[in-house]
Amino acid sequence: MAAVPFLEAARKEFAYYRNLGDRSLAVLTDEELFRIPAPGSNSIAVLVKHMHGNMMSRWTDFLTSDGEKPWRQRDAEFEEGGLDRRTLLERWNAGWECLENAVAALTEADLDRIVHIRNEPHTVAQAITRQLAHLPYHVGQIVLLAKLYKGMDFPELSVPRNGSDAFNRSKGMR
């Protein structure tokens, strides 16, 4: 079996984590989106604002400009308030679309090209890998908070509890 090309694998992973976030955000009330779970922690809204800022900065003009854009206001991403649900979800989608469009335009030949993030050189492959560590970290935070807020009403996002055997059988295992 041939190895899956890196970009195809990366696109699939980005889509998987976007989907986890989409499904988690969809079940939350406005109150839950903006709830600060503990002093000194971030609401889901702040996590989305930060992810949006990060994705827009990193993936706008990806191959031709530094990934930390002068227009990015990173510190403001961590301030509570100022957005409603509709605007927050628009930013979520805009960030992901910026990333997806930039990655879709890449070819395997681009993977060794050098891009800069905060004036530090990275190969394109390193920049993608860096983003595949950063975004799932925050999606995991969103999923965890959503699960805590919804309890048993939170939908299953993967193999259900006590469902491993049935899942494995559906994949032709066991």
Side-chain angles (χ1 to χ4, degrees), residues 18 55-56 90-103:
R18 180 181 184 175
M55 287 187 279
M56 296 302 293
E90 286 172 357
R91 287 190 183 183
W92 169 263
N93 289 319
W96 281 107
E97 288 164 14
C98 183
L99 177 152
E100 291 163 351
N101 290 337
V103 174

Side-chain angles (χ1 to χ4, degrees), residues 65-100:
S65 67
D66 192 284
E68 188 65 19
K69 305 295 186 283
W71 44 258
R72 183 178 183 199
Q73 300 294 316
R74 186 181 182 281
D75 291 339
E77 296 165 14
F78 293 94
E79 294 174 7
E80 295 290 342
L83 297 179
D84 60 16
R85 177 189 199 89
R86 182 185 57 76
T87 305
L88 190 70
L89 295 177
E90 286 172 357
R91 287 190 183 183
W92 169 263
N93 289 319
W96 281 107
E97 288 164 14
C98 183
L99 177 152
E100 291 163 351

